[in-house]
Structures are given as C-alpha cells and as structure tokens.
Amino acid sequence: MTPSAPSFVTVETLSKNFGSERVLDRVGFTLERESVFAILGRSGGGKTTLLKILAGLVAADSGRFRLDGRDLTALPPEKRQVVYLYQEPLLFPHLSVRENLVFGLRLRRLDEAAMRARIDPLVERLGLGDHLEKMPAQLSGGQRQRVAFGRALAIQPPLLLLDEPFGSLDATTRAEMQKLFREVARQVAITAIFVTHDVKEALIVGDRFGHLAGGQLRQFADAAGFVADPVSGAAAEIAFWNSLAAKTPSPPRV
C-alpha cells in the first residue's frame, strides 16, 4: 500500500491566552495543497488570533506550525512566505494600481518581462485592465480589494491567510468577490485559510470547513456535515429563508 503524502499545512495544539482569557485551546488541523479551509466563527472567537499566529505576527503560548514539512513556529513573518490579507486592502496610496501589483515582485528583483508574465494573467482574471494607471483613491472598495488580492497572488505565496477579506464591502460587491475568489482559487491552485463570521460565505469559498468557538476548533469533512451540524448555523439560516419564502405571496398571474 502506497503511503499517503504528508499534509502541506500542519498545525499542532496551538494555544494562546490573553491574560486570563483562553483564546485558542490546543487548536490543531492539517490542510492539503490547493485547498481552501473556511473557518467560521463569531467576532472575538479567536479567528484573527489564529491567523496572526500562523503569519508570525503573534506568538503562540504553545504548539507548532509546519508548512510543507518546514517548522515555521519560531520564524519571523518575513521568513515564512505566508501572506496575510486583511479586511482593509492596505494599498500604497502613492502608487498606481500597476505599481501596487508589482510591489512585491520589485522587492524580489524580478525583471520587467518576468513581472509582466506574473501580473498580466491576474489583471485579466481580476478585471483590472482598465484601472492600472489609477490611484487607490480612485477605486471602489471592491476594486481596491481586487488589487490587494492580485498583489498577494503575484508573489505566489505557498499559503494565503484571509481575515474576513470582504467584510467591509456592500452585500452585492461582497457576493461578487466571493464568486471571484472561488474562481481564481481554482484557476491558480491556491492553498488558503479563510476565516469569516458568515456561514454563506464559508460555504461558497471553502473546500473544507471548521467552526472556532470557545478557543476550540471543530472540523467537518465536507459541506454536508458542516450544514447538518447545528453549531454552524447553516440549518437555522436555511430554515429562516424557507419560512420567509412560505410567507411571501406568489406574484399574480397575468
């Protein structure tokens, strides 16, 4: 029997306290390459703390984090090759869209031809072709988030961490960005951990699913198990919309 390949992401018994509050309690999981792990949880439930620990921005009290077999637990952020995408795009306001997109590539000293080869496909996928010479202040919220997403993907990080990245967008733009993320994730084979408080968003973007509450992470093998478990809130949301549909009168026949 052929042994299975080791997991690409391995998180082992991560714990974190802030004073007397236990924010993460021996959290552990594995993640395969080219997979998106959607973690649902309420605000203040430890989702951001988990991502910041993986990014190296916060130190865990205990536990380990390995990426492709390499132990990153004690490494500083700049040596982890992990990109953390915030809710706010955090673009450089004095740089054009084009220069924001290539910023990380310039730091890596890629030549112009290599940068174009990286950026051009992303510009097309993200619908930014008409905005390359604009400044961030000239963009809508959704467009700024597309630029931030493209800048993150341009450097081809082994792991992308997304912290409620569409939470500040209006409902229509947020739905568009969720769909775009899912499409691009498949096209460029992203490995990502995506945290959200929105059950619908988790179901749209995720391949695997988890729920973080009380410092503990509960995992689900598939969407069906995630929806069926009361802890996700999916069944309650579906029931609400079904009850609303039942109360809504049908349009009159012409």
Side-chain angles (χ1 to χ4, degrees), residues 96-112:
S96 68
V97 167
R98 185 192 303 276
E99 287 303 309
N100 266 284
L101 288 170
V102 302
F103 183 83
L105 303 181
R106 291 199 187 282
L107 291 179
R108 289 160 177 77
R109 302 184 183 279
L110 271 68
D111 60 35
E112 291 295 328

Side-chain angles (χ1 to χ4, degrees), residues 132-144:
L132 290 176
E133 304 311 318
K134 292 181 180 179
M135 306 302 284
Q138 296 174 288
L139 304 177
S140 68
Q143 289 165 346
R144 288 194 294 271

